Amino acid sequence: MKKLVLSSLLLTFIGLQSCKNEEKQKEAEAAKAAAEKVVSSECYKAIYEKDTIDLKLNTLKNGKLTGDLIMKVAPSTVRTGEVAGEFHGDTLFVDYTFTDTANKGKTFKNPMAFLKRDNQLILGNGTMQTTMGVTYLVKDKPIDFERVKYKFSVAECATK
């Protein structure tokens, strides 16, 4: 009889503990969803010769940024993808995950750096390095924001 009571108590405590873990997990998921809520959106456009780039940035509650970037590069390449990153001072560092019309079905990921100056975002030129399949900007090399092609101005957001 004693073993039956002890076994029942043990099973009850285990059941209560698993309920607490589920509640904590649900609370963590709710906090993560709240942090990923879009607070504001801004749209930018850059034009250089026959190239056009449209950028939409969504600022999340946790301070990070996500968005969409469409690069129409002459004569026929169109790269469509998403950006995700955050500001470090006045520089926005993002990862651009995209597909292009020349390589259908293949996904690429490149780092990008934008300098925020007044109401402009300036796409910088930096030295990139690939290690074990991951491309990143080399930390010891400066990013050039002066001799650039693409300077983004604030634009009207297109509604979908």
Side-chain angles (χ1 to χ4, degrees):
M1 185 71 180
K2 244 183 178 181
K3 287 184 179 181
L4 180 64
V5 171
L6 285 174
S7 299
S8 298
L9 282 174
L10 183 63
L11 286 174
T12 304
F13 287 127
I14 291 172
L16 289 174
Q17 186 62 31
S18 68
C19 288
K20 285 183 182 179
N21 287 342
E22 283 181 26
E23 287 176 18
K24 286 180 183 177
Q25 188 175 8
K26 286 180 182 177
E27 287 174 10
E29 288 174 6
K32 184 179 177 185
E36 292 178 353
K37 186 176 181 183
V38 176
V39 176
S40 65
S41 294
E42 292 179 297
C43 294
Y44 296 90
K45 184 185 256 340
I47 299 172
Y48 179 79
E49 293 176 357
K50 294 183 179 182
D51 301 346
T52 303
I53 304 176
D54 293 304
L55 172 64
K56 180 178 182 181
L57 289 177
N58 301 312
T59 304
L60 305 179
K61 191 172 184 180
N62 62 6
K64 297 194 184 233
L65 292 126
T66 62
D68 301 311
L69 182 67
I70 300 169
M71 298 178 79
K72 297 175 185 168
V73 182
S76 64
T77 304
V78 177
R79 295 180 182 140
T80 304
E82 298 176 350
V83 293
E86 60 187 322
F87 272 100
H88 294 276
D90 59 356
T91 307
L92 172 61
F93 292 96
V94 298
D95 284 321
Y96 178 39
T97 306
F98 65 94
T99 58
D100 70 21
T101 54
N103 296 300
K104 292 182 179 154
K106 203 168 185 186
T107 302
F108 301 92
K109 188 172 185 175
N110 281 339
M112 296 176 124
F114 297 89
L115 178 66
K116 184 157 181 119
R117 191 182 292 158
D118 300 322
N119 284 335
Q120 279 190 325
L121 284 177
I122 302 167
L123 178 59
N125 295 320
T127 305
M128 287 196 250
Q129 182 174 343
T130 303
T131 304
M132 295 176 56
V134 178
T135 304
Y136 58 93
L137 292 166
V138 179
K139 291 186 180 187
D140 297 339
K141 304 276 183 166
I143 299 170
D144 180 16
F145 292 105
E146 297 303 320
R147 293 173 291 159
V148 297
K149 290 182 181 178
Y150 304 113
K151 292 185 179 185
F152 292 79
S153 299
V154 177
E156 192 74 29
C157 288
T159 56
K160 288 186 178 180

